[in-house]
Amino acid sequence: MHPKELLTAPAWLTRRMFLPAALAVFTVSGFAGLIYESIWSHYLKLFLGHAAYAQSLVLMIFMGGMALGAWGASLLSPRWRKLIVAYAVIEAVIGLCALAFHALFVTATGFAYEQMFPALGSAAAVQAVKWSLAAALILPQSVLLGMTFPLMTGGVLRVHPERSGYAIAMLYFTNSLGAALGVLASVFYFIPAVGLPGTLAAAGVLNLAVAAAAMLLPGGRDPVPAAPAAATSAAAAPLPQLRLLLAVAALTGMSSFMYEVGWIRMLALVLGSSTHAFELMLSAFILGIAFGGLWVRRRIDRAADTVRLLAWVQLAMGLAALATLPVYGSTFLAMEAVLEALARSESGYWAFNIASHGMCLAIMFPAAFCAGMTLPLITASLLRRGAGERAIGQVYAVNTAGAIVGVLAAVHVGFTLLGLKGIIIAGAAIDLALGVALLRAAPAQPGARRLAMPLAAAGSALALLGAGFLVQLDAHLMSSGVFREGKLLPPGHGVHLQLHGKTATVSVTGNRDLISVRTNGKVDGSVRIDGGTPVTDEITMTFAGALPLVLAPQARRVANIGFGTGMTTHVLLASPTLERVDTIEIEPAMVRAGELLRAVNWRALDDPRSRFHYEDAKTYFAAQRQRYDVIISEPSNPWVSGVASLFSVEFYHDVRRYLEPGGLFVQWVQLYETTPKLLATIVAALEANFQDYEFWLANNNDLLIVAAHGGAVPAPDARALENPALRAELARFRIANLDDLALHRVGSRGTLMPYFAAFGAPANSDYYPVLEMNAPLARYMNSHTLDLTALMRAPLPLLPLFDARARQPDPVRITPGERDWLLRAAWVLQANDIQQYLRSGSEKVLATFNTELASDLVLLRAALFDCTARLPEDTLRHHLADLARYVSIHLPPAAAVSFWDSLGARCGSRLSASERRWLRLHRAVGAADGAEMAQAADAILEAEPGLEARLLAHALAAFMAGSILENKQGAAMGAFFKHRARLIRERDWQPVFRFLVGQVDWSVTRIGRH
């Protein structure tokens, strides 16, 4: 039907079509509204920080604006004749504000950082300006959003006054249903696809469409006067009863959000703390509210007494909330079963999210279902008692205000004083008390019904006492981190401490030997307190503290982001020249938990140079405006909600402000539960802000990137290792000299940046959070960045070939002892043993190799040193290629050349022309001679066109590397395009060729710039 026909259609038809159309419009409005709440929180956390007070104050600004808007609508709506038109105008203004928000936010916050904060000089003034600016950015739109529900509801009731209860409940249902869908669409589709600005723009366009649709609602634009109250015999209810219902609206809003905050913390221990998990929890809560409104829609108008019905709903909500406490433990067992059944794949991840949503619904849905009935019932009760249209906005406003109090009470009081169980019980006590009070306030009932109130009071008291004394949340289950490995803590792994902090639940678990500090179930660090063989976390934390001391021994002031076990700060303070170490930790409970690890972190806790700042890193740096010689960023894993912003272009831009010229920034990055492409997004973010950086391995799974603020990253200073305290810390990890240290160095910016750039991954950004959106999938799939290992194990020493600052460790000077945490150390020592055996034939050395390698080496010695055997030509070429993988990359050039010369010295006359060509190539690679490499490889490619793929890849890679080193990029790429079709299945070589192609692209880019 054409819009003009709608305006002239018969009245009965327009009234019949009006409500379904209005419900459809309001569904889309709810969809957009929750996108705003989610996206604005993302934006403002970037400015205010992720500390607990910041999160709660962001929510307070948003919900406070909603409450003001609803209250304003309650005052203005009786004076407006066309509420639907007013609603449409409000939606249009919201949409326009959304389209302008990103540019306004970037301009305003940039001005604050660049101009306002430096001029203020006072930390308190900085904080005041930040909160004021944050409020100014979202408060106007929040006020407008708060007006939408009262205006739409009032407009609908003017058209359908005879079905007020049904209409209110259905509007509440559709708006909440849209909101639940909006939450999921935002995090699973819009943000990954178009980033924060694009998501805001999409929501803005939806609001403009809603405004246009509202203007065309059939009958909605007719000037209908304010509908009379649909009063019953109780029409002139006394004012105290009206105040009681408004108080109920406020208090039930408070209890509902206490539940939500408590359940989110509880379920984070089951599902993990990723952004995806949080949005699933929020969606489940809103979905329960939506269907509660749907269920009650027909029952409101049929109910003889809505206040009595509301009383039973409040009682049911309190009991349903208490029931979540005994049910909670089973969710850990359910998660264990789910992860055991699902494949670690992309499809498995979607199934994991569906199962996680089901667990959220199992915990949240019953009480949220009851919560969804309360607002429609309270509003309908007020309308029945003659409160008029104004009551719609008043109920919405006080309910939202109560929600604000609930959030603040739960975060700032509940977690620390009551714990998780106490928050749920406190919320349930509020609802049960409301139910009893409403039963008492309801009209008296004849006969046995008069016992309802005392029985409800007695039952409520028993339920609260039972939950308080009989139900205990299992700290063993809550500390298990079942969402990662799909396993619960073993029985012998006890929980020594569990603290419910404002931002996380921190646990200390372990046995007599191994102690772990866990945040929301995820291990943030493990140590051996008995001094036994160290675990990988210990080398990571020790190395993160020691490396900057060796690179910048002159450092005086250091900032360390993230306390963890406290070992990094402890090792830093081994330096006598440091004047101060500022540890920035968002959660005070982490430091309290660290008291149990005093054996390995005592300097961090006791040294007067150690200062703790319980704050978000961005907020701390912005408020303090101090400069440091070294800043170390050692946060949690990027899949944890909010952490990825510490790996972003914007954070690295900001962190440079707080480094002295020539200062060092040290970034920890995990190589487990991630992918090379995700690591490339971090490298791209660093590349946009730092002129030089280097890559170091703490162990096989943890990377440290050291970036210099101006100039180059300095070379290690051996004098730093003369410090007895630092030497003692490093002794456990076999680091006593620069050769030991060189085992941990991977490569420079010029070596590895082109490789990561070849992935074509965008830089991780606060506004385009590639890392945060994709890291949870990598965590679930247990992905690993094996490419760096492949490059360090390649048959060609690619990393030292392209790194002028590379220092190949000398096996003779390496400190003896096994290093289980670092494969490269074993490879270097093995390379030395291989050359020793081939030259000497020592049976003692041969016994150190595995059977397969030992057999190959025996054959090689017989063929090349003893001249007692002749291997088939193809077999020898393969053995030589394997030998290159074991030896060439792990020996200094002089030792490598000597080794390859020795292979052809004794039995060279017996070698074929092909075998001599291959020996020439391996010697050229060992010598790092680019011209000779290219010529030797070219000779092989020309003379041996039928090479099998593995040997072809070896020769082609050598030719490309030599050509690039000789600035012949065109020849390198020409050969690559000529032969690459034959190499598609050689997956082991893909990192090598990505590295080489990246070097070509980088060389061409540099030439173009010059």
Side-chain angles (χ1 to χ4, degrees), residues 269-270 332-333 335-336 474-490 493 495 498 507 509 518 520-523:
L269 301 172
V270 182
F332 291 93
L333 304 177
M335 180 57 72
E336 184 180 34
D474 191 332
H476 196 266
L477 292 175
M478 294 165 69
S479 303
S480 65
V482 65
F483 53 85
R484 293 187 82 185
E485 302 293 336
K487 298 176 182 177
L488 302 175
L489 283 178
H493 211 76
V495 180
Q498 189 167 84
S507 306
T509 66
R518 297 168 178 261
N520 287 343
K522 186 195 79 66
V523 175

Side-chain angles (χ1 to χ4, degrees), residues 48-192:
L48 299 175
H50 292 277
Y53 64 83
Q55 295 172 340
S56 55
L57 283 177
V58 167
L59 187 59
M60 185 177 71
I61 294 167
F62 177 73
M63 300 192 72
M66 296 271 287
L68 288 173
W71 194 268
S74 74
L75 298 176
L76 295 173
S77 61
R79 307 175 190 175
W80 291 345
R81 298 192 63 186
K82 300 182 179 181
L83 292 188
I84 297 298
V85 173
Y87 166 79
V89 171
I90 295 295
E91 289 279 4
V93 175
I94 293 170
L96 294 173
C97 290
L99 296 177
F101 183 85
H102 178 75
L104 178 63
F105 178 85
V106 172
T107 301
T109 56
F111 178 76
Y113 280 120
E114 298 288 347
Q115 303 295 328
M116 296 177 68
F117 293 167
L120 290 172
S122 163
V126 168
Q127 294 297 325
V129 170
K130 287 182 74 174
W131 300 124
S132 300
L133 182 57
L137 284 168
I138 70 166
L139 189 60
Q141 300 98 298
S142 300
V143 171
L144 294 173
L145 281 169
M147 298 179 74
T148 57
F149 185 85
L151 289 176
M152 173 59 90
T153 305
V156 168
L157 293 186
R158 289 184 180 184
V159 178
H160 286 286
E162 74 286 352
R163 302 178 68 192
S164 60
Y166 177 88
I168 293 169
M170 283 302 293
L171 286 168
Y172 198 54
F173 161 69
T174 53
N175 194 248
S176 299
L177 180 64
L181 297 175
V183 168
L184 297 178
S186 174
V187 74
F188 285 103
Y189 177 72
F190 284 110
I191 297 178

Side-chain angles (χ1 to χ4, degrees), residues 401-639:
I404 296 170
V405 176
V407 171
L408 292 174
V411 171
H412 294 284
V413 178
F415 285 136
T416 53
L417 296 183
L418 301 177
L420 289 180
K421 186 180 80 168
I423 288 174
I424 303 302
I425 291 176
I430 293 171
D431 281 324
L432 292 172
L434 289 176
V436 172
L438 287 169
L439 283 176
R440 183 178 181 182
Q445 294 288 310
R449 293 187 178 182
R450 279 182 281 186
L451 298 176
M453 193 277 289
L455 289 176
S460 298
L462 287 174
L464 290 170
L465 289 172
F469 291 101
L470 300 180
V471 178
Q472 297 297 327
L473 300 185
D474 191 332
H476 196 266
L477 292 175
M478 294 165 69
S479 303
S480 65
V482 65
F483 53 85
R484 293 187 82 185
E485 302 293 336
K487 298 176 182 177
L488 302 175
L489 283 178
H493 211 76
V495 180
H496 306 297
L497 178 71
Q498 189 167 84
L499 301 171
H500 300 295
K502 292 183 179 181
T503 65
T505 294
V506 179
S507 306
V508 179
T509 66
N511 49 36
R512 293 180 179 179
D513 302 327
L514 185 68
I515 295 292
S516 299
V517 177
R518 297 168 178 261
T519 305
N520 287 343
K522 186 195 79 66
V523 175
D524 270 341
S526 298
V527 299
R528 286 201 182 278
I529 58 174
D530 62 353
T533 303
V535 294
T536 55
D537 284 344
E538 290 181 87
I539 177 61
T540 299
M541 295 175 287
T542 300
F543 199 70
L547 183 59
L549 297 182
V550 177
L551 295 176
Q554 76 287 353
R556 296 292 180 268
R557 292 175 61 86
V558 177
N560 180 33
I561 302 171
F563 181 72
T565 63
M567 286 187 67
T568 299
T569 300
H570 172 80
V571 172
L572 283 166
L573 290 166
S575 169
T577 60
L578 283 185
E579 297 172 356
R580 178 169 173 170
V581 177
D582 290 312
T583 299
I584 303 144
E585 172 56 57
I586 194 171
E587 178 50 66
M590 289 293 292
V591 178
R592 291 173 58 194
E595 291 281 353
L596 275 66
L597 282 72
R598 184 175 286 275
V600 295
N601 68 10
W602 57 269
R603 288 194 199 95
L605 299 173
D606 301 333
D607 194 307
R609 297 172 296 165
S610 178
R611 314 286 179 85
F612 291 101
H613 308 274
Y614 300 114
E615 183 61 274
D616 170 80
K618 292 183 179 181
T619 303
Y620 169 78
F621 285 129
Q624 297 298 319
R625 308 295 297 180
Q626 297 183 22
R627 289 184 178 272
Y628 294 90
D629 299 303
V630 176
I631 296 177
I632 302 172
S633 181
E634 202 177 7
S636 191
N637 304 65
W639 57 263

Side-chain angles (χ1 to χ4, degrees), residues 636-671:
S636 191
N637 304 65
W639 57 263
V640 176
S641 180
V643 172
S645 65
L646 294 177
F647 298 85
S648 70
V649 171
E650 293 80 7
F651 176 69
Y652 295 145
H653 177 268
D654 287 342
V655 87
R656 286 187 308 163
R657 304 168 189 261
Y658 315 114
L659 281 172
E660 294 285 0
L664 299 182
F665 174 67
V666 182
Q667 174 71 75
W668 167 83
V669 185
Q670 67 185 72
L671 294 180

Side-chain angles (χ1 to χ4, degrees), residues 37 49 175 349 368 420 431 791 799 837 1003:
E37 181 180 355
N175 194 248
Y349 181 64
L420 289 180
D431 281 324
L791 292 176
L799 300 180
Y837 167 73
S1003 299

